[in-house]
Amino acid sequence: AEALLQRQRERGPFATTGQLVTALEEFGKELTDDRCRDVLTHPVFVALRVFLNREMQQFEAALEGIFERLKPHGRCVVICFNRWEMAAIRRFVREHEAPSAQVREALPQARWADLYPSLANGKRYWVRQAVRPVKPTPEELRRNQRSKSMMFVLEKVPR
């Protein structure tokens, strides 16, 4: 990223995606890992798309809206295709989970708020993973390399 910004300072902003691709290919030549060099443009364009379309903010807002509307013990299934989506789901659950019985027994109540932000969010529900995330089987991956999605089942639990 720094190298791209430096190049823009020296030569001016990129006017076309082709110019950006050329710059990425030039930087990719410096990489020693052939796999990284060959696929450098893809993650850069995905990151640009996610940023420009505000996809993270929209994803988080959608999750918030879903759980505001779900009935108690209602479930939401989310299929994630990107790592950032999986991280966002995990962060959402972390920010809305209830303290476990082990935490309540082991730690003083003063520490709970630091570890469980949901205690201070004023919402009338918790969120928990109803089942472990579902991954494609090795057989599915063998048949279809693009099946690297992960499915999360989240449940709204009343406080």
Side-chain angles (χ1 to χ4, degrees), residues 1-153:
E2 284 296 321
L4 287 173
L5 292 174
Q6 182 59 37
R7 182 179 174 134
Q8 281 191 307
R9 284 191 281 276
E10 293 169 0
R11 300 183 189 177
F14 298 111
T16 67
T17 55
Q19 290 175 340
L20 177 57
V21 168
T22 300
L24 290 169
E25 287 172 349
E26 289 174 16
F27 295 133
K29 290 175 186 173
E30 299 173 15
L31 298 173
T32 57
D33 185 347
D34 288 337
R35 185 178 175 281
C36 290
R37 181 180 25 224
D38 294 340
V39 296
L40 183 60
T41 55
H42 180 74
V44 170
F45 278 94
V46 168
L48 287 170
R49 187 202 73 220
V50 168
F51 175 77
L52 292 173
N53 293 338
R54 299 178 43 86
E55 291 178 23
M56 284 182 159
Q57 293 87 339
Q58 290 182 43
F59 189 65
E60 291 166 1
L63 286 171
E64 291 287 345
I66 288 165
F67 278 89
E68 288 297 323
R69 287 164 183 79
L70 268 178
K71 292 181 179 179
H73 301 287
R75 291 185 174 186
C76 170
V77 175
V78 182
I79 300 173
C80 298
F81 296 95
N82 302 298
R83 286 188 180 148
W84 71 263
E85 294 169 337
M86 294 173 206
I89 289 287
R90 289 185 181 107
R91 186 173 47 255
F92 180 81
V93 170
R94 177 76 188 95
E95 291 171 355
H96 294 82
E97 70 183 340
S100 67
Q102 294 92 340
V103 167
R104 291 178 188 200
E105 291 174 14
L107 297 174
Q109 191 170 357
R111 279 287 288 140
W112 296 358
D114 294 335
L115 299 172
Y116 294 89
S118 58
L119 292 170
N121 70 13
K123 296 186 177 161
R124 298 170 54 158
Y125 61 89
W126 310 105
V127 174
R128 72 173 194 91
Q129 279 191 221
V131 297
R132 289 171 108 47
V134 179
K135 300 177 188 178
T137 64
E139 173 62 22
E140 278 181 290
L141 287 171
R142 189 184 62 69
R143 283 184 291 144
N144 179 7
Q145 282 295 313
R146 299 190 65 162
S147 67
K148 294 180 182 174
S149 61
M150 189 174 293
M151 182 177 73
F152 292 84
V153 179

